[in-house]
Amino acid sequence: MAVEKRTLGNTGIAVSSLGLGTVKFGRNQEVKYPDSFTLPSDEAIEALLELAHELGINLIDTAPAYGSSEQRLGRLLKNRDQWVLCTKVGEEFTTGKSYFDFGAEHTRRSVERSLRDMKTDVLDIVLIHSDGEDIKILEKTDCLPTLMKMRDEGLIKAIGMSSKTVEGGLRAVELLDVVMATYNPSYTEERAVIEAAHDAGVGLLIKKALNSGHDALNGAARTAENLRTVLALPGVSSAIIGTINPEHLRANVEAIR
Ligand SMILES: NC(=O)c1ccc[n+]([C@@H]2O[C@H](COP(=O)([O-])OP(=O)(O)OC[C@H]3O[C@@H](n4cnc5c(N)ncnc54)[C@H](OP(=O)(O)O)[C@@H]3O)[C@@H](O)[C@H]2O)c1
């Protein structure tokens, strides 16, 4: 049986309740996973994307800050129309270090580069990739007005924020179409953001449901419990789980059936 689809708040976009996170497609430096890893081959990514599609997963999360992830998706993803592409803006990762730019010019250039790199005319979701100063980015930079303009121009369908604070997540709920919040049994602080998004009909994506893999070290039962807990929270459209292991992808789908 395929993974169920859920509507992403009021956006009208149908997303699979498990999304595929693609940090590990393109970046293996300065990441917080339990083990180091080598980047997967093109063949391995193609096979993983095919498996994801077979399992009913249609949501892919990427970002310019995930190294070569966007470019690799642009080259290797088949049948663009079958997928919901979520990318980000604001964080850049070059020469092994992150920097942030939420100015109008950078925002527009970044979105245009994502469109080009992923070989598409429209991005389904663009999230502001927060540096931790959620409120300041939303209220004092030109990032959001620029994204709204690009949404009006038809280049983006929905705008959101991958937020890092409760206050910022709550403000994002007031201003945006989608919020990506963190939630797992060892980190429940953003519960208020989840509840506010649900009440407001704002699309809600969850990141780090497995605590960036650290909770998965406690075994398959714990992994399954984390996934089921997150997906049972009212208002959650999808849990974005990062994996480059086909067996883990299958197990995660099995866990929520
Ligand atoms: N991390 C961030 O700061 C951040 C920020 C914003 C957005 N995001 C988005 O959210 C996604 C998820 O966050 P995340 O990747 O940090 O954390 P996560 O999804 O909680 O954990 C991913 C880790 O769990 C492992 N894993 C997945 N399924 C498993 C299973 N069944 N058994 C054992 N291990 C398993 C993966 O390793 P294998 O590859 O070996 O399966 C990977 O190392 C990201 O990919 C990204 O798209 C992340």
Side-chain angles (χ1 to χ4, degrees), residues 89 103-115 121-123 126 142-159 177:
V89 70
E105 199 185 316
H106 177 81
T107 300
R108 181 167 282 275
R109 269 196 284 110
S110 178
V111 170
E112 287 171 353
R113 182 187 55 195
S114 296
L115 288 162
D121 298 331
V122 59
L123 296 166
V126 175
D142 290 326
C143 189
L144 179 54
T146 307
L147 290 176
M148 289 167 92
K149 198 151 180 280
M150 296 188 90
R151 185 179 56 190
D152 290 346
E153 291 165 17
L155 299 171
I156 299 170
K157 288 187 190 163
I159 297 169
D177 309 316

Side-chain angles (χ1 to χ4, degrees), residues 19-24 31-35 37 60-63 66 88 91 127 129 162-164 180 182 184 206-214 216-217 219-220 223-224 227 239-252:
L20 181 61
T22 65
V23 176
K24 293 173 97 174
V31 285
K32 293 178 185 151
Y33 300 113
D35 297 313
F37 59 96
I60 298 189
D61 181 66
T62 183
Y66 299 168
K88 311 195 184 69
E91 181 177 352
L127 306 177
H129 211 161
S162 175
S163 54
K164 292 206 171 165
M180 179 185 265
T182 301
N184 61 60
I206 301 296
K207 60 188 167 185
K208 305 187 198 176
L210 303 181
N211 194 14
S212 292
H214 295 275
L217 297 175
T223 306
L227 295 174
I240 308 289
I241 306 297
T243 185
I244 49 173
N245 181 325
E247 291 318 310
H248 290 168
L249 189 63
R250 275 185 203 282
N252 295 343

Side-chain angles (χ1 to χ4, degrees), residues 44-56:
I45 289 181
E46 278 180 318
L48 195 78
L49 291 169
E50 205 164 306
L51 176 63
H53 177 63
E54 270 168 36
L55 294 169

